Every structure is written in C-alpha cells, then in structure tokens.
Amino acid sequence: MTENTQTPSSPNSELPTQYAPAEVEGKLYERWVERGYFEADEKSEKPPYAIVIPPPNVTGSLHLGHAFEHTLIDALTRRKRMQGYETLWQPGMDHAGIATQNVVERELAKEGKSRHDLGREAFVERVWQWKGESGGQISGQMRRLGDGVDWSRERFTMDEGLSEAVQTIFKKLYDDELIYRAERIINWCPRCLTAISDIEVEYQDDDGELVSIRYGEGDASIVVATTRAETMLGDTAVAVHPDDERYKHMVGTEIELPLTGRRIPVVADEHVDPEFGTGAVKVTPAHDPNDFEIGQRHGLANLAVMDEHAVITAHGPFQGLDRLEARSAIVAALRADGRIVAEKRPYSHSVGHCSRCKTTIEPRLSMQWWVKVGPLAKAAGDAVRDGKVKIHPQEMEKRYFDWVDNLHDWCISRQLWWGHRIPVWYGPNGEVVCVGPDEQPPAGEGWTQDTDVLDTWFSSGLWPFSTLGWPRQTESLAKFYPNSVLVTGYDILFFWVARMMMFGIYAMDGTPPFHTIALHGMVRDQFGKKMSKSFGNAVNPLDWMDEYGSDAVRFTLARGANPGVDVPIGEDWVQASRNFANKIWNATRFALMNGATIEGPLPTPEEMSATDRWILSRLNKTVAEVDAFYEDYQFSKLSDSLYHFAWDEVFSWYVELSKTTFFAGGEQAGVSGRVLGEVLDVMLRLLHPVVPFVTETLWTTLTGRESLVIAEWPKDSGFRDEAAEAEVATVQAVVTEVRRFRKEQGLQDGQKVPARLDLTGTALAAHEAAIRQLLRLQPEGEEFHATATLPVAGATVALDLSGTIDVAAERKRLTKDLGAAEKEKQQAEAKLGNEAFIAKAPDNVVDKIKGRLAKAEADIARIQAQLDGLPAA
C-alpha cells in the first residue's frame, strides 16, 4: 500500500463553483484502487479489523438493500482504516445454485433446448461461460457506490479454493456422523425440480377451498377436512386424539377410503387437536411433514401419489393429471359419490411458495442428504449465551435463540447440476464412499457419483474462513479470523448467520466466525411499504446516483439506519442529502477563499475569540459523540450528529459569526482562519466514511495531502470551554428571537432595520458587530424611534419599525396572543392547585403541566414586553 506521508502543502482554493459528482466519483475511486488503499496486508503488525461482504448472487445487480448494507460496512471499514487498523473488507459472490441455473435454462429455452439436450458437463460449462460474460455486474456497481473492498482478494463460492473447503467440511461432517442420507419429507418445487430448505419457502395467504369428506359408512364413519383433496389418494390412516370420546370405539378399526377401494386404519395420536374441526385428520405420510411423523410412530405405509412435476401417479382415473386438475376432479367425484359433507370457497389459508420462482411448493417424501444440526446449533446458541458473540441490537437475541434452539435437521441436497456436487460415490454392491479433497474417488465398473449438488447456503456458511484460505492454515486466516463484525439484515439471520455460526465453531476449533453480529432492517419506501417491482415502488439506486451523486444516496441510507429497524427512504430525502453535500462544498469553498488554513500550530485559547473557542469545544464533543455512536452501530445518530454539527453549528453559526472578523482582516482574522481550517479538517475526516467522494475532494484541496482514505481518524483532544459555549448560546438566543420577531412582522430576510442594542451586563458586547450583521440591523441614527423592544437573554434589542408595520394591527395581534397565554396559565394553575388531581396524576403528567405553566409565563412576559415597546396608538 502506498503510505500517506501526510506532509501538508499550501491549500489550493481553486474549487469549481459547483460540485459535480459525476465528474469526481469515478476518477477518485479508480485512484483509490490503483494506489492499493483498500488492500489488506496479513503481514502487517497493525491490529486486524475484518468484515466479509454478504456475498451477492452472481445473477444479481445492485439494489437499494445492497446499497444500504454496503454503505454501513464501508463506513465501518473506512473509519477503522483511518484509526490505524489493518482493515480487510472481503469481497466476493455467491454461485446462487437455483437462481443461476434458472437463468441459463431460460437462455437455452430461447434456443429451443433444455439442459438435458446438452448433458451435465456441457451444461455446467455453459453456466461458467455465462458467469464469465454476464455474471457479476454487481462488482462494477459496487465501485459506483464507493465500496472500499480489497479487490485483489475477490472470491467466488465455486472457485477452486472454496470448492476444496466445501469438500473438506463435508468429509469431516460425514466422518463425524453429522451428515447422513435418509428418506424424509422435504419442500419440493415442481418448477425448479429440487428440494428447498424451510427458510427458502415464502408463505402467503392464498384463496383455495376447504372440503369436508366423509370416510366410511354410518356409525363407522369419520369426517375429515382438507385443502388438498388430491392427497387423499395417498392416505394410509385417519388419526384422532386418544382421549376423544367420540372416536374411542373406532380406534384400531379400519374404514374405507373413498374412490380407492382401500381400507385404512383409525389410529390414536396426541398430535391431533380434538378441538379443531371434527377432531379427526387424514394421514398422508408421503405428502405432509406432520403426517410423516404420525406415520413413523404408527408404522404406516408411505404411499407417494405424485411425481416430481406434481403430476398424479396413483392408478385410476386421476393418473396423469396435474395436482390442481386432480383436486377439482377428485372433489367432483366425491360430490357425485355423496361424500362431500361441506365445501367452503374461497378459503383463505397460508400456502408455501418457492422463494425463487413463486411456485406452490409440494411436501414430498424423498431420499436426501441431511446435516444433523443438534450439536452444531447448540454450540451456535451457547456462543451467544456465553458472550463470545454479541448480537446488536440485543433484543434480536431472542429471535436468534428461537431459531437455533428449535432447528430441524437441514436438508442440504439439491437436484440441480450447478453447484458443489456431493462428494459421495456409490459402488455396484451398495458401497457408499465419501471422498475428501486429497483423496481419489473409487474407480472401476459400477461406481457412480451422487448426482445432487449442495444447498448454496452450505458453501456460503463457510464464507468467513474459506475466503481466508481454510482448510489451509494461511497467514490471512491467522490474521483475520475471527472477523470483527458481521453486518447483515435480520431477514437472513436464519439463512446465513446461523449457518456461519454452526460451521465456524465446528471447523475452527470452537472459535465463532465473528465477535459481533450487527443486524439492520430492510429498506422500504417513504410510506414504510416493502419495495417490490410488483408494487411499482422499487428503486434502482444507480438512477439516484446518476441524478444526485453516490454520496447523497449513501448519506440518506446511513441517516435512516437504526439498528434492527426497517429504513424508509424517498427521493426527496436523497435530494436533501444532495443539498447537504452541496452545502459542504459551498461552505468549504467560501472558507478557503477567506483564509481557512491548516498551516501552522493551532492558536492558544488566549489568542482565540469566544466564538473560536466555542466551535472547537463543540468540535471535540462531536468527535466523542460520533465515536460512541460508531461503537454502538448507531449510524442514524452519528449521521444526524455530523449533519447538525456541519450545517447548524459550523456553517449557519460559526462561519456567519466570523464573517465580520474575516472581512475586517488583521491578526484576529488569521486566528479564526486557522481555527476554521482545523474545524474543516476534522469535520471532513469525520464525514468521510459516510460521504467519501465530496470529502476527499475538499480535504485534499484544503490540506494539500494525499488522501482521506489513509488519513488519521480524529481524536477528541479533550478541549472544552463551557463558558464560551454558554456565551455563544446567548448570542444564538438573541439572534433567534429577533429573527422570529422579524418573521412575524413580515420583514424580508435582507430588509435592514434601525436598532439599538443594550448589551450592558452581558457577554454580548464583543459580538455586537456579528449580531447586527446576522440580523441586518443598522445603527440607530438621530431619527431613531423604538417601536418594538425585545428583552432576551439579559439584553434589550429596540427596533424602529416605523413605516414597516401597522402598529394598530400589531397591537391587536399581540393582545390576542397575550390573552391565549394568560388562559393557558390559568388552566395550568387550576390543575396544579387541584389536590385530588395531583394525588392521582402520574409524575410525568404533572411535570408536563408544570412545563406548560412555565412556558405560558415566559410567553406572557415576552408578549407584554413587545406590547410595551410599541408606540402609542
């Protein structure tokens, strides 16, 4: 990495009159990359700070959720780099098994082909070709956003090193009997033709039908209800609760299953809720997970009646029908047979859909590979309980424990061709051999490899250590594992975070993959609604970057980022952030043209004015405040703190209060110029992690130094001056009150008004010139006639508004306001004088009424003084 010598040179005040992000951002980013600022050195003696990027899908493009998350991670890593840490932000992409295979299959379909026409090897080669040509466009978009990732370390979940890691951990888990193969009920997607995990199923309320069917005859009959009538062809029992008196006489008997001619048993099982419906349920072990468990307990047959396309395979008139076609046909046949007791349609109920293609999933009995998660999940839970890993915000811990403490075994096999193929070979005589990365697979006639691939989350679960070279004991692994923090959305707490916790602790000798899990919410529109193309409210962040600049998008996202809480965002907020960037630009440009400098030592407190000491005191408090917010992952609060310090205190007050000093020139102007340079230097450093482009341009111009990326993070010097802060607060009170009065009178901002300032006995005398400048107050002159007198902060401001206001109308208005204030005072005094009310009212209510009384009394004094200051009618 190029070292920043930080040697100051004369600042260059030649800034364009306007900030043009498009002319700055791309060039700056490429300069940062070329100079190696983002590259991490595992040989460095600096303390490590490492974060992995949640790997975006190779099929993806930058959306607002990515931009949000990347902004937060980039802010953390930029700050740590400036603090002297050897910082690694690890980039890379996920191969996204189902999503990528679907993309390439759609491309083939345009050619009139399927993957089966190509064969497995040729199809996989075609996917790699697509990945090289079209995949990974998100990398270029990350550069647009300003992501400070180490591109020299970019990884892909299907690259050679990560493939070795996947095969190694599979073998280890298999040998430890934590991976096994078994026939279980899984979530099956008839469109993607693969198993999917529970967390890849999206549930939504769909309109269907609920039909009640009578099984058996007369007293030996039971009514069951179902929304999936087609599965009755696979029923192998009816279950009732063992304590349900209505059905005790039937337990152990058999009844006829309609339409099939088969007889099925009635079994007693505590899983059945006797209070729900008729208290009896049909049992289809091959097509329902709960029914499968009942079937296991009672030794029932598993009768599959659908194939992988969800087409009926059971013999009879319904064979060959799609499941939905069969549903209608079976209900019609049952109706004709007099078996339908009741029908309800539409019947809204929760239905699972494939998160990839939105097809209704089908529970299906299937032979699959599973991870025995019990011991792995316990270790993942204990790591948080024992304090080895902190979850932020802490209230998210409950959600984490609810998940890891109740995990079912994880189905890891997928019926795809794109992905990490399961490293298991089957022999001609039933042999099963799991092969590690350094082992040769068995050869000879009859040996075949398992055709399935691993769930994408299996490989991404290894991400924090596989990207650092594991299973090899690399210098990078020793330096950067465990990661410092994981920044990710609470929506993939279960998909990804729990997987990484389980695998990291297991593979790395009990060491969790990170010290802290910092969870953020989802980006929503300005009305709090989920962003979606179907809702018409989805936003391409690149469009906003083109229009307003990347800094504006980043600042908007960071300013909305409260831990674990969803983030509303609208275009007008991005516009406001663009205005902030422009304000920083224009104010810095003004400062540079008026003597702001970092040259020479900072003046002593004795050499500074109270205004100078005030802004330096506020600056150091802001440094401390921003540091505290960063350590607590309070991005919204740190952004707000910086916004208000920069805009309200530096630009709106310090620069304005100092204008008279700058315009007057001389020694004091030089002192204030050095103070302003110091403030801008520190402020731009503080802002840089969130808004890197505009701050880099301004700071290098101000200081003449190489780059903010490798500049030193500001430290709180400890300088405080409460007296100066109180003095300037008094100035602000005077200016604010007179401005409010001017506005009430309808005076234009630039309209000058003669005024007499009585500042005797206050610290305001030194600020009279600045106060007059800010309030457009002229000297009183010989013809001065005070038409309004404002007492504020111990001072008196008398204004001559002759010819500018209607005195009679003003007296009428003030009299009305006085009456309202006196009424408010009377009401508050009456409540506070009511002993019964005081005895019963909560303390916060009483305090609120006391506050109303104090405000009313202050309003009365203010308004009365204004009335007294008006000339006689």
Side-chain angles (χ1 to χ4, degrees), residues 820-846:
E822 289 173 338
K823 183 178 180 181
E824 175 73 5
K825 178 186 176 186
Q826 291 168 3
Q827 290 175 343
E829 287 177 335
K831 285 189 175 182
L832 293 173
N834 185 334
E835 294 182 3
F837 172 79
I838 294 297
K840 295 180 180 179
D843 291 344
N844 65 316
V845 173
V846 174

PDB file of all heavy atoms in Angstrom, residues 820-846:
ATOM      1  N   ALA A 820     -54.384  34.438  24.986  1.00  0.00           N
ATOM      2  CA  ALA A 820     -54.251  32.978  24.882  1.00  0.00           C
ATOM      3  C   ALA A 820     -53.228  32.456  25.881  1.00  0.00           C
ATOM      4  O   ALA A 820     -53.430  31.412  26.524  1.00  0.00           O
ATOM      5  CB  ALA A 820     -53.847  32.596  23.460  1.00  0.00           C
ATOM      6  N   ALA A 821     -52.114  33.178  26.062  1.00  0.00           N
ATOM      7  CA  ALA A 821     -51.082  32.760  27.009  1.00  0.00           C
ATOM      8  C   ALA A 821     -51.606  32.825  28.441  1.00  0.00           C
ATOM      9  O   ALA A 821     -51.325  31.943  29.266  1.00  0.00           O
ATOM     10  CB  ALA A 821     -49.839  33.625  26.843  1.00  0.00           C
ATOM     11  N   GLU A 822     -52.373  33.902  28.763  1.00  0.00           N
ATOM     12  CA  GLU A 822     -52.931  34.022  30.115  1.00  0.00           C
ATOM     13  C   GLU A 822     -53.950  32.919  30.389  1.00  0.00           C
ATOM     14  O   GLU A 822     -54.018  32.389  31.503  1.00  0.00           O
ATOM     15  CB  GLU A 822     -53.564  35.401  30.282  1.00  0.00           C
ATOM     16  CG  GLU A 822     -52.520  36.522  30.356  1.00  0.00           C
ATOM     17  CD  GLU A 822     -53.138  37.902  30.359  1.00  0.00           C
ATOM     18  OE1 GLU A 822     -54.294  38.029  29.890  1.00  0.00           O
ATOM     19  OE2 GLU A 822     -52.466  38.850  30.819  1.00  0.00           O
ATOM     20  N   LYS A 823     -54.744  32.538  29.391  1.00  0.00           N
ATOM     21  CA  LYS A 823     -55.703  31.448  29.554  1.00  0.00           C
ATOM     22  C   LYS A 823     -54.975  30.127  29.804  1.00  0.00           C
ATOM     23  O   LYS A 823     -55.374  29.337  30.666  1.00  0.00           O
ATOM     24  CB  LYS A 823     -56.581  31.342  28.303  1.00  0.00           C
ATOM     25  CG  LYS A 823     -57.656  30.270  28.415  1.00  0.00           C
ATOM     26  CD  LYS A 823     -58.535  30.247  27.158  1.00  0.00           C
ATOM     27  CE  LYS A 823     -59.608  29.169  27.286  1.00  0.00           C
ATOM     28  NZ  LYS A 823     -60.465  29.108  26.065  1.00  0.00           N
ATOM     29  N   GLU A 824     -53.910  29.897  29.058  1.00  0.00           N
ATOM     30  CA  GLU A 824     -53.106  28.686  29.247  1.00  0.00           C
ATOM     31  C   GLU A 824     -52.530  28.646  30.662  1.00  0.00           C
ATOM     32  O   GLU A 824     -52.516  27.604  31.316  1.00  0.00           O
ATOM     33  CB  GLU A 824     -51.982  28.639  28.212  1.00  0.00           C
ATOM     34  CG  GLU A 824     -51.003  27.486  28.363  1.00  0.00           C
ATOM     35  CD  GLU A 824     -51.577  26.128  27.959  1.00  0.00           C
ATOM     36  OE1 GLU A 824     -52.724  26.089  27.467  1.00  0.00           O
ATOM     37  OE2 GLU A 824     -50.881  25.117  28.151  1.00  0.00           O
ATOM     38  N   LYS A 825     -52.070  29.819  31.160  1.00  0.00           N
ATOM     39  CA  LYS A 825     -51.519  29.896  32.518  1.00  0.00           C
ATOM     40  C   LYS A 825     -52.592  29.571  33.553  1.00  0.00           C
ATOM     41  O   LYS A 825     -52.359  28.809  34.498  1.00  0.00           O
ATOM     42  CB  LYS A 825     -50.957  31.300  32.761  1.00  0.00           C
ATOM     43  CG  LYS A 825     -50.397  31.482  34.170  1.00  0.00           C
ATOM     44  CD  LYS A 825     -49.982  32.917  34.416  1.00  0.00           C
ATOM     45  CE  LYS A 825     -49.523  33.090  35.879  1.00  0.00           C
ATOM     46  NZ  LYS A 825     -49.234  34.495  36.211  1.00  0.00           N
ATOM     47  N   GLN A 826     -53.785  30.123  33.389  1.00  0.00           N
ATOM     48  CA  GLN A 826     -54.874  29.887  34.337  1.00  0.00           C
ATOM     49  C   GLN A 826     -55.244  28.399  34.387  1.00  0.00           C
ATOM     50  O   GLN A 826     -55.461  27.829  35.459  1.00  0.00           O
ATOM     51  CB  GLN A 826     -56.097  30.729  33.955  1.00  0.00           C
ATOM     52  CG  GLN A 826     -55.905  32.230  34.156  1.00  0.00           C
ATOM     53  CD  GLN A 826     -57.005  33.041  33.510  1.00  0.00           C
ATOM     54  OE1 GLN A 826     -57.963  32.499  32.954  1.00  0.00           O
ATOM     55  NE2 GLN A 826     -56.875  34.369  33.585  1.00  0.00           N
ATOM     56  N   GLN A 827     -55.324  27.772  33.205  1.00  0.00           N
ATOM     57  CA  GLN A 827     -55.691  26.348  33.164  1.00  0.00           C
ATOM     58  C   GLN A 827     -54.634  25.483  33.859  1.00  0.00           C
ATOM     59  O   GLN A 827     -54.959  24.555  34.601  1.00  0.00           O
ATOM     60  CB  GLN A 827     -55.872  25.892  31.711  1.00  0.00           C
ATOM     61  CG  GLN A 827     -57.101  26.484  31.039  1.00  0.00           C
ATOM     62  CD  GLN A 827     -57.186  26.122  29.568  1.00  0.00           C
ATOM     63  OE1 GLN A 827     -56.188  25.695  28.969  1.00  0.00           O
ATOM     64  NE2 GLN A 827     -58.352  26.300  28.978  1.00  0.00           N
ATOM     65  N   ALA A 828     -53.360  25.802  33.613  1.00  0.00           N
ATOM     66  CA  ALA A 828     -52.290  25.030  34.241  1.00  0.00           C
ATOM     67  C   ALA A 828     -52.291  25.229  35.753  1.00  0.00           C
ATOM     68  O   ALA A 828     -52.129  24.278  36.530  1.00  0.00           O
ATOM     69  CB  ALA A 828     -50.938  25.431  33.652  1.00  0.00           C
ATOM     70  N   GLU A 829     -52.493  26.489  36.212  1.00  0.00           N
ATOM     71  CA  GLU A 829     -52.519  26.766  37.646  1.00  0.00           C
ATOM     72  C   GLU A 829     -53.695  26.069  38.317  1.00  0.00           C
ATOM     73  O   GLU A 829     -53.571  25.569  39.450  1.00  0.00           O
ATOM     74  CB  GLU A 829     -52.586  28.274  37.882  1.00  0.00           C
ATOM     75  CG  GLU A 829     -51.274  28.995  37.594  1.00  0.00           C
ATOM     76  CD  GLU A 829     -51.379  30.510  37.757  1.00  0.00           C
ATOM     77  OE1 GLU A 829     -52.511  31.040  37.617  1.00  0.00           O
ATOM     78  OE2 GLU A 829     -50.346  31.146  37.995  1.00  0.00           O
ATOM     79  N   ALA A 830     -54.819  26.007  37.606  1.00  0.00           N
ATOM     80  CA  ALA A 830     -56.001  25.350  38.180  1.00  0.00           C
ATOM     81  C   ALA A 830     -55.747  23.858  38.396  1.00  0.00           C
ATOM     82  O   ALA A 830     -56.110  23.294  39.439  1.00  0.00           O
ATOM     83  CB  ALA A 830     -57.201  25.558  37.262  1.00  0.00           C
ATOM     84  N   LYS A 831     -55.127  23.217  37.433  1.00  0.00           N
ATOM     85  CA  LYS A 831     -54.841  21.783  37.578  1.00  0.00           C
ATOM     86  C   LYS A 831     -53.820  21.530  38.679  1.00  0.00           C
ATOM     87  O   LYS A 831     -53.964  20.586  39.474  1.00  0.00           O
ATOM     88  CB  LYS A 831     -54.344  21.206  36.255  1.00  0.00           C
ATOM     89  CG  LYS A 831     -55.445  21.028  35.233  1.00  0.00           C
ATOM     90  CD  LYS A 831     -54.946  20.257  34.014  1.00  0.00           C
ATOM     91  CE  LYS A 831     -56.092  19.985  33.045  1.00  0.00           C
ATOM     92  NZ  LYS A 831     -55.648  19.206  31.869  1.00  0.00           N
ATOM     93  N   LEU A 832     -52.789  22.358  38.721  1.00  0.00           N
ATOM     94  CA  LEU A 832     -51.752  22.166  39.733  1.00  0.00           C
ATOM     95  C   LEU A 832     -52.261  22.509  41.131  1.00  0.00           C
ATOM     96  O   LEU A 832     -51.699  22.045  42.141  1.00  0.00           O
ATOM     97  CB  LEU A 832     -50.523  23.013  39.402  1.00  0.00           C
ATOM     98  CG  LEU A 832     -49.757  22.591  38.132  1.00  0.00           C
ATOM     99  CD1 LEU A 832     -48.666  23.607  37.806  1.00  0.00           C
ATOM    100  CD2 LEU A 832     -49.145  21.199  38.305  1.00  0.00           C
ATOM    101  N   GLY A 833     -53.333  23.329  41.211  1.00  0.00           N
ATOM    102  CA  GLY A 833     -53.913  23.673  42.502  1.00  0.00           C
ATOM    103  C   GLY A 833     -54.970  22.694  42.962  1.00  0.00           C
ATOM    104  O   GLY A 833     -55.516  22.828  44.056  1.00  0.00           O
ATOM    105  N   ASN A 834     -55.287  21.723  42.121  1.00  0.00           N
ATOM    106  CA  ASN A 834     -56.299  20.706  42.447  1.00  0.00           C
ATOM    107  C   ASN A 834     -55.611  19.537  43.146  1.00  0.00           C
ATOM    108  O   ASN A 834     -54.921  18.742  42.516  1.00  0.00           O
ATOM    109  CB  ASN A 834     -56.993  20.250  41.165  1.00  0.00           C
ATOM    110  CG  ASN A 834     -58.138  19.282  41.441  1.00  0.00           C
ATOM    111  OD1 ASN A 834     -58.145  18.579  42.446  1.00  0.00           O
ATOM    112  ND2 ASN A 834     -59.105  19.263  40.544  1.00  0.00           N
ATOM    113  N   GLU A 835     -55.802  19.457  44.491  1.00  0.00           N
ATOM    114  CA  GLU A 835     -55.098  18.433  45.260  1.00  0.00           C
ATOM    115  C   GLU A 835     -55.496  17.019  44.838  1.00  0.00           C
ATOM    116  O   GLU A 835     -54.669  16.103  44.820  1.00  0.00           O
ATOM    117  CB  GLU A 835     -55.369  18.637  46.756  1.00  0.00           C
ATOM    118  CG  GLU A 835     -54.777  19.923  47.310  1.00  0.00           C
ATOM    119  CD  GLU A 835     -55.009  20.068  48.797  1.00  0.00           C
ATOM    120  OE1 GLU A 835     -55.580  19.130  49.396  1.00  0.00           O
ATOM    121  OE2 GLU A 835     -54.618  21.097  49.360  1.00  0.00           O
ATOM    122  N   ALA A 836     -56.774  16.812  44.497  1.00  0.00           N
ATOM    123  CA  ALA A 836     -57.232  15.477  44.086  1.00  0.00           C
ATOM    124  C   ALA A 836     -56.553  15.046  42.783  1.00  0.00           C
ATOM    125  O   ALA A 836     -56.147  13.885  42.621  1.00  0.00           O
ATOM    126  CB  ALA A 836     -58.754  15.480  43.915  1.00  0.00           C
ATOM    127  N   PHE A 837     -56.416  15.997  41.857  1.00  0.00           N
ATOM    128  CA  PHE A 837     -55.744  15.697  40.576  1.00  0.00           C
ATOM    129  C   PHE A 837     -54.275  15.368  40.803  1.00  0.00           C
ATOM    130  O   PHE A 837     -53.753  14.390  40.277  1.00  0.00           O
ATOM    131  CB  PHE A 837     -55.886  16.891  39.631  1.00  0.00           C
ATOM    132  CG  PHE A 837     -55.061  16.762  38.374  1.00  0.00           C
ATOM    133  CD1 PHE A 837     -55.501  15.968  37.322  1.00  0.00           C
ATOM    134  CD2 PHE A 837     -53.842  17.427  38.246  1.00  0.00           C
ATOM    135  CE1 PHE A 837     -54.736  15.845  36.177  1.00  0.00           C
ATOM    136  CE2 PHE A 837     -53.080  17.298  37.106  1.00  0.00           C
ATOM    137  CZ  PHE A 837     -53.536  16.513  36.073  1.00  0.00           C
ATOM    138  N   ILE A 838     -53.601  16.166  41.632  1.00  0.00           N
ATOM    139  CA  ILE A 838     -52.174  15.968  41.888  1.00  0.00           C
ATOM    140  C   ILE A 838     -51.940  14.609  42.555  1.00  0.00           C
ATOM    141  O   ILE A 838     -50.948  13.923  42.278  1.00  0.00           O
ATOM    142  CB  ILE A 838     -51.610  17.101  42.766  1.00  0.00           C
ATOM    143  CG1 ILE A 838     -51.656  18.436  42.009  1.00  0.00           C
ATOM    144  CG2 ILE A 838     -50.187  16.795  43.210  1.00  0.00           C
ATOM    145  CD1 ILE A 838     -50.815  18.476  40.760  1.00  0.00           C
ATOM    146  N   ALA A 839     -52.855  14.198  43.420  1.00  0.00           N
ATOM    147  CA  ALA A 839     -52.692  12.928  44.137  1.00  0.00           C
ATOM    148  C   ALA A 839     -52.792  11.732  43.202  1.00  0.00           C
ATOM    149  O   ALA A 839     -52.142  10.697  43.423  1.00  0.00           O
ATOM    150  CB  ALA A 839     -53.738  12.820  45.250  1.00  0.00           C
ATOM    151  N   LYS A 840     -53.598  11.832  42.148  1.00  0.00           N
ATOM    152  CA  LYS A 840     -53.841  10.703  41.256  1.00  0.00           C
ATOM    153  C   LYS A 840     -52.986  10.721  39.989  1.00  0.00           C
ATOM    154  O   LYS A 840     -52.691   9.671  39.422  1.00  0.00           O
ATOM    155  CB  LYS A 840     -55.325  10.669  40.847  1.00  0.00           C
ATOM    156  CG  LYS A 840     -56.275  10.401  42.007  1.00  0.00           C
ATOM    157  CD  LYS A 840     -57.722  10.384  41.514  1.00  0.00           C
ATOM    158  CE  LYS A 840     -58.694  10.125  42.669  1.00  0.00           C
ATOM    159  NZ  LYS A 840     -60.108  10.137  42.209  1.00  0.00           N
ATOM    160  N   ALA A 841     -52.614  11.905  39.532  1.00  0.00           N
ATOM    161  CA  ALA A 841     -51.917  12.018  38.233  1.00  0.00           C
ATOM    162  C   ALA A 841     -50.498  11.459  38.312  1.00  0.00           C
ATOM    163  O   ALA A 841     -49.804  11.650  39.312  1.00  0.00           O
ATOM    164  CB  ALA A 841     -51.870  13.479  37.786  1.00  0.00           C
ATOM    165  N   PRO A 842     -50.053  10.762  37.252  1.00  0.00           N
ATOM    166  CA  PRO A 842     -48.661  10.278  37.207  1.00  0.00           C
ATOM    167  C   PRO A 842     -47.680  11.450  37.206  1.00  0.00           C
ATOM    168  O   PRO A 842     -48.016  12.568  36.803  1.00  0.00           O
ATOM    169  CB  PRO A 842     -48.603   9.512  35.873  1.00  0.00           C
ATOM    170  CG  PRO A 842     -50.016   9.227  35.519  1.00  0.00           C
ATOM    171  CD  PRO A 842     -50.824  10.354  36.082  1.00  0.00           C
ATOM    172  N   ASP A 843     -46.466  11.186  37.668  1.00  0.00           N
ATOM    173  CA  ASP A 843     -45.455  12.245  37.758  1.00  0.00           C
ATOM    174  C   ASP A 843     -45.180  12.901  36.418  1.00  0.00           C
ATOM    175  O   ASP A 843     -45.005  14.126  36.333  1.00  0.00           O
ATOM    176  CB  ASP A 843     -44.150  11.667  38.327  1.00  0.00           C
ATOM    177  CG  ASP A 843     -44.285  11.291  39.797  1.00  0.00           C
ATOM    178  OD1 ASP A 843     -45.257  11.739  40.431  1.00  0.00           O
ATOM    179  OD2 ASP A 843     -43.405  10.537  40.283  1.00  0.00           O
ATOM    180  N   ASN A 844     -45.154  12.091  35.331  1.00  0.00           N
ATOM    181  CA  ASN A 844     -44.838  12.670  34.024  1.00  0.00           C
ATOM    182  C   ASN A 844     -45.931  13.632  33.556  1.00  0.00           C
ATOM    183  O   ASN A 844     -45.665  14.622  32.875  1.00  0.00           O
ATOM    184  CB  ASN A 844     -44.595  11.568  32.994  1.00  0.00           C
ATOM    185  CG  ASN A 844     -45.839  10.749  32.718  1.00  0.00           C
ATOM    186  OD1 ASN A 844     -46.558  10.374  33.633  1.00  0.00           O
ATOM    187  ND2 ASN A 844     -46.094  10.459  31.457  1.00  0.00           N
ATOM    188  N   VAL A 845     -47.192  13.352  33.947  1.00  0.00           N
ATOM    189  CA  VAL A 845     -48.300  14.251  33.577  1.00  0.00           C
ATOM    190  C   VAL A 845     -48.182  15.562  34.346  1.00  0.00           C
ATOM    191  O   VAL A 845     -48.361  16.655  33.794  1.00  0.00           O
ATOM    192  CB  VAL A 845     -49.653  13.566  33.854  1.00  0.00           C
ATOM    193  CG1 VAL A 845     -50.802  14.560  33.633  1.00  0.00           C
ATOM    194  CG2 VAL A 845     -49.821  12.346  32.960  1.00  0.00           C
ATOM    195  N   VAL A 846     -47.876  15.451  35.639  1.00  0.00           N
ATOM    196  CA  VAL A 846     -47.710  16.662  36.459  1.00  0.00           C
ATOM    197  C   VAL A 846     -46.553  17.504  35.929  1.00  0.00           C
ATOM    198  O   VAL A 846     -46.658  18.736  35.805  1.00  0.00           O
ATOM    199  CB  VAL A 846     -47.472  16.276  37.934  1.00  0.00           C
ATOM    200  CG1 VAL A 846     -47.158  17.522  38.771  1.00  0.00           C
ATOM    201  CG2 VAL A 846     -48.691  15.557  38.493  1.00  0.00           C
TER     202      VAL A 846
END
